[in-house]
Amino acid sequence: MAEYLRREIAKELGVGNETLRYYEKIGIIPKPKRTDSCYRIYSENDLLRLKFIKRLKSLGFSLNEIQAVMGMLNRDNSVNNEILKNQIGLKIEEIDQRISALNELKKMLSLSGSRLGEEECGLLKFVT
């Protein structure tokens, strides 16, 4: 199985060394093995785990949410699978709510933009 130094993992993922240290500190990733000279050595599984974390971040998951998800993945029972499915469902609902709010904002801005030059800006009607 391949092994990687921290700088190699950081370069592969496009993150800083401090990010990896921070993930260790807060427990999102386990502390890696160390060489005789105390360099951190990451496994292929560590790399896959970090890629999954990066993907979750890109999908809008907070570090707290990622920490919860990673904790669930450490255990292998059906209850945790159900909790994980629930967590994903909650994130989907949150995204749907954000999309709805952004669509409302878009509508407000479109209306106010079409009324520029009138006595009262259309945007002010939505705020008051």
Side-chain angles (χ1 to χ4, degrees), residues 22 26 28 61-70 87:
Y22 183 68
I26 64 173
I28 289 181
F61 280 75
S62 70
L63 285 179
N64 286 338
E65 291 168 329
I66 292 170
Q67 196 168 21
V69 168
M70 298 312 288
Q87 187 79 13

Side-chain angles (χ1 to χ4, degrees), residues 25-37:
K25 181 180 175 182
I26 64 173
I28 289 181
I29 61 171
K31 295 196 182 299
K33 296 185 303 183
R34 292 197 180 242
T35 65
D36 292 338
S37 53

Side-chain angles (χ1 to χ4, degrees), residues 16-30:
N17 289 338
E18 292 302 316
T19 299
L20 297 175
R21 271 194 212 120
Y22 183 68
Y23 288 173
E24 285 176 42
K25 181 180 175 182
I26 64 173
I28 289 181
I29 61 171

Side-chain angles (χ1 to χ4, degrees), residues 69-123:
V69 168
M70 298 312 288
M72 287 177 229
L73 294 177
N74 286 336
R75 299 178 227 38
D76 200 22
N77 64 44
S78 60
V79 173
N80 287 334
N81 287 336
E82 287 304 311
I83 294 170
L84 181 57
K85 286 179 190 177
N86 186 46
Q87 187 79 13
I88 290 169
L90 291 173
K91 184 50 93 175
I92 290 169
E93 286 177 28
E94 180 186 318
I95 290 168
D96 286 341
Q97 289 171 358
R98 271 198 243 154
I99 289 170
S100 178
L102 287 170
N103 282 328
E104 279 298 311
L105 177 61
K106 180 181 176 183
K107 191 185 306 182
M108 272 194 308
L109 292 172
S110 293
L111 286 173
S112 66
S114 67
R115 294 185 177 147
L116 286 177
E118 294 180 9
E119 285 182 28
E120 182 181 345
C121 180
L123 186 59

